[in-house]
Structures are given as structure tokens and as C-alpha cells.
Amino acid sequence: MSKIGVWGMGGVGKTTIMKHIHNDLLKEQRFERVIWVTISKEFNVMKVQDNIASALESKEYLNKEEDKLRRAAILSEMLKKAGKHVLILDDVWDKVSLEEVGIPEPSGSNGCKLVLTTRSEHVCKYMGCKVIKVNPLSEEEALILFLNKVGPNIVQSPTIMPTLKLVVRECAGLPLTIVVVAGTMKGEDNPLIWKNELGELKERIGKVEGVEAEVIERLKFSFDHLKDKQAKYCFLYCIVYPEDFEIEMDELIECWIEEGFIDDMGTRQEMKDKGLTILKKLEDNCLLENITNVFGQPRVKMQDAVRDMALSITRMNPRYMIQAGLQLEELPEKEQWSPDIEKVSLMFNSISKISIDVLPTKCQLLTTLLLQNNPIKKISISFFTNMPCLSVLNLSFTKIKSLPNSISELKNLTTLLLCECYELRDLPCLSMLQELKKLDLCWTKIEEVPEGMDRLIKLRYIDLDVSTPKEIPAGLLPKLVHLQHLSFDVENEKTSLKAEEMEPLKKLECFTGRFKDINQFNKFISSMQQSKKNLIKYCLQVGSYNVGCERDKTVAIGRVHHWEGELIMHPIEIQELHIIECDYLRSLVDDNSSFKNAIDLRVCRIWGCDGIECVVSLSSFASSSAHPFQSLEVLDLHDLPKLSALIMKDAGIGSETTSTLATSATFSHLKEIRIYKCSSMNTLLPHWLLLDLQNLEEIWVQECDEVVEILGAATSEVEEKGGDALIKFHLPKLRELKLRNLPNLNSICSKSGVMVCDSLRLIRVINCGELKRIPPFGPLVGTEQPYAYAPPSLTIESRKEWWESLEWDDHQNFKNVLHFNPFEV
């Protein structure tokens, strides 16, 4: 049969369903793909997951903004190219037209086997499926799952175990219920409490009728046992997102702060830490599932049955109206806007116009209105007139061009979010919004800072990352003394800041902005240090060259001239530094530099600085107890015509003075070196420096005309060891060595040298015509002789002509232990 219906009670779990599918279908014959499709209750395709190895790992998504017909067409086209596949239609609530959602009728000719999962046997029969019922877990399976979640100290308690088994029995073999109840009881070692909770669980279940109602009561048991009232509010808030939505943790905690669920504390960071603590509690109770997306971003989501439980609570008190992600084209009907509603979520729909006609006379208790991710173009002039308690308004990712004047009547508004409203060009006067704490205008098109903003003295958060404003009015920022977060577009030179305007902002924690010159930048850093205030997150740019920020604490200085001799200050704990086209610099770390104390720096990029001769001058060691760049992981040097060495002493590279002073931790965590167009460099890494490069993983050198060797030993070192002695170049973690367009390179390491780097996987050589030999390798341990050994995973990549032209010094067996892969540019 081409269609199978798998049904079971809510909370049975996808893992159990997959096991049944595997047993009853996948063993029949081999399928090329497993495609898992999620549809909404309105039969809109919401998400497609496609992974041959595991149908539970997301690989492909449909754009949530596509309309219903477009989604169906996309899915239909995808399935035509899918080959022989199993299509799993997940969580079907009612009979559905396959054609309507874009699924062709399964048949042998199109190679499709359809499996639908549902809570209703009737749906399976209506769809013409072979019916498979997913039975709950056996008592033994249920007990094992419960014990895995509840903790080892409980497992070992003989006084608790009899009661525990009865609690497991009340979970009815449903995996989700088992893990949620176990999470609630985790760590509880009092037998009396276990008996009391067993009685409560039985009483709850006895008061309701029907399988689904019993599931909800079991899950509500966990919710009611959240001792923290804040945690309860935070949990319920998660239903404002569409079903199966993966919520970014940072965004969710920001929402909790906006809603006032987290008490106002000394700093915003403390509030975020409190939010993380609440998240951990909800995860431990298995009310939220911790997931990480393909980009490594931490997210959480709600299981469907848990969300149903939360929705059942918010239909009563507190009262929510949740219609998110349902592809609505209009606001809900007037009858649905009951006067006691507190929060409304209509996010991720297709609403284009907002009219006053559908609203009741007064939404007296409405505090939150979420309209983001709708193609809204127009809002009725008087729409906000009857919302006296509204405190959170989110219109982000809409197409509005202006806001109605009635927004000025929202005297209790604390949060106004207009992020990525690309067509928004102006705002009405905001002076009446005296309670406003957060204003997000990121990536709008406003040209003037909103009128009346200087009166919003309670503001804690402003995002003006906008390219269009002409200026920041003088005297505005000093009035906003409670600011904790402030962002400007660092590419907009018209919004360059002055240090005296920033000085009063003593509570600032997160800051993105530009300073016109080093003088203003230094004044700002100095004022921060004098007030003993450290920014937690920042992206600071100086000058006219724009660089993106990859890390939390970044400084970029570009095209700044006429500051020769002026000390560059930097914030405490700087992690990323860019120096671009600043010709007056001779080195980054010397006696006249504060960067010698940048011990937390992880990434350093120096590009286009004509005066740079070295990165670190060893003379700076005498005046500093810190080791420059001791935490540095990435060093990127680009277009530095005078650069001759990474570390330099006046006595010269390779001198006795240099060797003894170089026994520092400088570069000790360096993983990646990239050198490009540095035409004065002869030797990249001298032997005496390698002791500090034991974590180096990648070397990349390109278009450096004067480079002769990559790893070099000074003449004095060769003479000291004797002419025939081998000098070992230890780089135990080196994985890749990439060399390109180096016309004078004649050796990778000195002729008397042996590379000891068992982790080396790749040497790529492109257009290095003078390089005639591959250096010998020695193992980290053992007594194998050079020329009979190579790192086990090493591949040499280059043009075949270059490989055939290499000289082997009568060590032809060395060539035999090397693996060559022809590489065409």
C-alpha cells in the first residue's frame, strides 16, 4: 500500500513513530530520501525537513512568507525531483486534500510512499491509509525512560521506588508525559513529597474525561509545580510564536525583559542572566526543548502537546489570543477580541491592512500586540486610540511607511519595535510616550531622529542602526542617562559621535558606534576607564573605513590620518581588532602602544598600512608585564609593503638578543596566520619563534614576492648544531599549509630542517616555480628516519607539472610515502 497512517495519543513522540515507520515500511525496500512535512491546522505547508540519514534533522525550509498556493507549488516541484522517497506528513488534525498542499497522489510510478501521523484513527481511514496504532510504552520501557530523567540519587532510593513506579503508571506510557513529570520530580528525595505528588496527579486525571484532556492535565502538573511565578509567565509567553517555531534564546529573553517578567535589576546583563536561569529551569522540567540550528545558534521550541497545554491555560487566565503563522489575510473577527484579552499574537501571517472596524470599543486590558512579519502597509488613523494599557507593540518586518498619530496616545507603552520596516520613513512625535524603555528602528528608512525623543528619559535601549539619518542632534544623548544598549550604523559618517556626548551614559553596557578620529575615540575610552565601567559588548569604529564585527568586543580603525605619535587606547577585554590603511603605524605593539596589554585579543587584521614593519617590537617587553597577543587566534596581514617580520628587535631577527627575549607567551594560542602581499618579508616564521606557535593550525601565504622560506633557522643556529645536524621544526597541530604566487620561495623549511607535524593534512602549492623540494618529516615519537616518513593524512596538492619537476636528493622512497593530488587552478 502506498499510504500508511500512524496514529496515537498526543505526546507519543516522533522517535516512537519513526520506530514504527522503520519496522512497517522502510524494511520493505530501499528509499533514497525521507522527507518530513509539517502543515498547519489550516493545511498550509509550514516546514520541510529532508535528510537521508535522519528525518528529524532540518535541512530544507520553505519561506514562511510565501502564500498558500506558492508553498504548495514549491513542495510539488521538490517532490517531483525527490526520486524514490518516503513522505511523512506530520501531525495531521483533520482530513486533508493532498493536491491542495502540493503532494501528488502516492503511487509506484512516482516512487512515493506516504506516511501521515495523527491523533485520530478516523483521519487515517478517511485518507485511505493502512492504519497502524502506536501503542504507549510498556511499563518496563516507561520506567527506564523515567529513571533516566529523574536523576541517579532517586534511582538508588529504596523508600521512593514503590511510589515512583506508581507515578510512572499514571503517565500512561506516553514518552512526553513521562519526561515532563520526571523533570518536575528531578532531585526530589523526600518520600512524603513523592506520595503527595502521586495523589495530586491521580486527582487531576480523575477530574477530566477524554484521552487528550488527561494528557494536558499530566503536563499541567509540571507547569503548576514551577515555584517561580516569573518562570510560569515566561513559559506561557512562548506560545505567542507559531507552532513548531524554533525560538532564538537571546530574542526570547529580550521579550521577557520587555514584558516585565524579569524584575528590573542593576544591569541588563543581570536580567539576561536571570532569563538564562529561567530557561534552564524550563528545559530541566522538559517544558521547553533545547535545540541548536545549523548555524550553531541556541534555540528552544515547544512540543505540540506542551503547547496545547499552555494554550488551554491562556484561554482562561491570563487571557491570550494566539493566531500566529496561520496565513491570515485580515485581523480576526470582532467577536474574538474579548475585552479581557491581555496579549495578542498575529505574527507571521499575511495581513496587509489594519482597520479599527474589527476591534471592540475598548481593549482595556490589552498589554501586548505582536504584528511582526506581516506585509502590513497601512494602519487605521485611530487604531491605537482604545488601547490604554498597551505596553509592547511589535511591528517589525512589516511594510508600513508611517505610523498613525494615535500611537502618541499609548501613554503606557514601554516597547516599540519597528526593526527592518524598510519602507518606514518618518514617525509622529514621540514626546508623549513617557514610559518608553525600548525603541528599535534598526534598518528603517527614517531620515531624522524622531521628534520628542529627548523627553524619553526612561529609555534603556535604542537601536538606530539606520543608514539614512542626517545627524544625531547635539544634546540628545546626554539626556538619556539610563541607556544600557545603544546602536548606530557604523557605516554612516553623519552619525559619528563625540566623546562628551557619550560621557554621561554611565549605565551603558552594549554599544555600536563610530568616532570621527582617534582623539574622540581615546576620550571616550578614557571616560569609560575613569568611571570604571566596562562595556559588555561593543563594536567601535574610528575613521572612514567600514569593517563588520564578528565578535562581541571589536574595534576597527580605518583611514585615520594625522595621528602620528598619538597613543591608541582600547577598551578592556578587546577581542577583535582591525587596523586598515593607517600609514603612520610602524608596529602594533611597541613602547607607544596600549595594545601590548590587549591580552584577550582573539582576532587581529592589519590591512593596507604602508608603514608597518613588524607586528610586535620586542622593546615593548621591557615596559610591560603582559604578553602581547597571548590569546590571539587569528592573525591576518594584508598588503603591508614594509612588513619584514612578525616580531622584531633592533638588533635584528635571529640575534642572541632576539632569541632570549622571545621566550614569552606571545602568539601562544595562535591558530591561523594569513599573509598576503607583504613584499618585504623573507622568512615567515624563524625557528626561535616556533616554541610559541604550538597551537598553530593553518598557514596561508600569497603574493609575497620576496619570501624565500616559510620556516627558517638562523645561520648561528645551524653552526651551533653542526653542518650535518638536523633542526626540528615542531608544529604539532598544523593542519594546512597553503602557498600561492610566491616567485622566490625556494624552501618550506631550512635545508637542514625536519618538519615534525603529524596533524598536517594538506600542503597546497600554486605558482611557486622556485620551490623544488618537499621538506623531510619526522614523527612526534619513534625513531623513523626522515625521507622514510610522512604525516599519515598528508596530501600534496598542486599542478602535475610542478610535482614531476621536484628534486628528491636521491631519496626516491620519500616520494613513495607522499600522497599527491593534482590540482588545477
Side-chain angles (χ1 to χ4, degrees), residues 253-368:
I253 292 173
E254 272 294 322
C255 290
W256 291 346
I257 293 173
E258 293 159 11
E259 293 285 346
F261 297 153
I262 299 175
D263 293 335
D264 201 353
M265 305 169 86
T267 67
R268 198 171 195 86
Q269 187 59 47
E270 288 177 309
M271 297 172 76
K272 289 181 179 180
D273 291 342
K274 175 66 175 177
L276 287 171
T277 302
I278 293 172
L279 265 179
K280 182 67 166 58
K281 177 66 175 175
L282 297 177
E283 291 167 15
D284 288 345
N285 280 32
C286 300
L287 293 171
L288 291 180
E289 180 185 359
N290 189 328
I291 57 176
T292 300
N293 71 355
V294 292
F295 303 106
Q297 297 168 324
R299 301 189 177 199
V300 293
K301 67 176 292 187
M302 267 185 163
Q303 293 281 358
D304 291 349
V306 173
R307 188 171 188 270
D308 290 343
M309 177 268 288
L311 284 168
S312 73
I313 295 171
T314 58
R315 291 189 188 103
M316 305 296 291
N317 183 31
R319 191 77 181 271
Y320 288 15
M321 180 169 72
I322 308 298
Q323 296 191 29
L326 303 183
Q327 294 300 300
L328 302 179
E329 296 182 0
E330 297 178 344
L331 290 181
E333 295 294 329
K334 190 169 186 175
E335 299 76 41
Q336 299 183 53
W337 293 80
S338 60
D340 59 343
I341 285 179
E342 294 181 31
K343 301 188 188 303
V344 171
S345 175
L346 300 171
M347 64 173 75
F348 290 101
N349 279 300
S350 299
I351 301 168
S352 59
K353 184 180 178 182
I354 292 183
S355 169
I356 189 67
D357 301 336
V358 299
L359 296 181
T361 307
K362 271 200 174 183
C363 297
Q364 287 281 10
L365 302 180
L366 185 64
T367 62
T368 301

Side-chain angles (χ1 to χ4, degrees), residues 215-233:
V215 170
I216 286 177
E217 279 304 315
R218 292 184 181 103
L219 297 175
K220 199 180 290 184
F221 169 83
S222 180
F223 170 79
D224 288 339
H225 279 71
L226 289 171
K227 297 180 178 64
D228 186 350
K229 193 173 182 180
Q230 289 176 314
K232 288 185 176 182
Y233 285 130

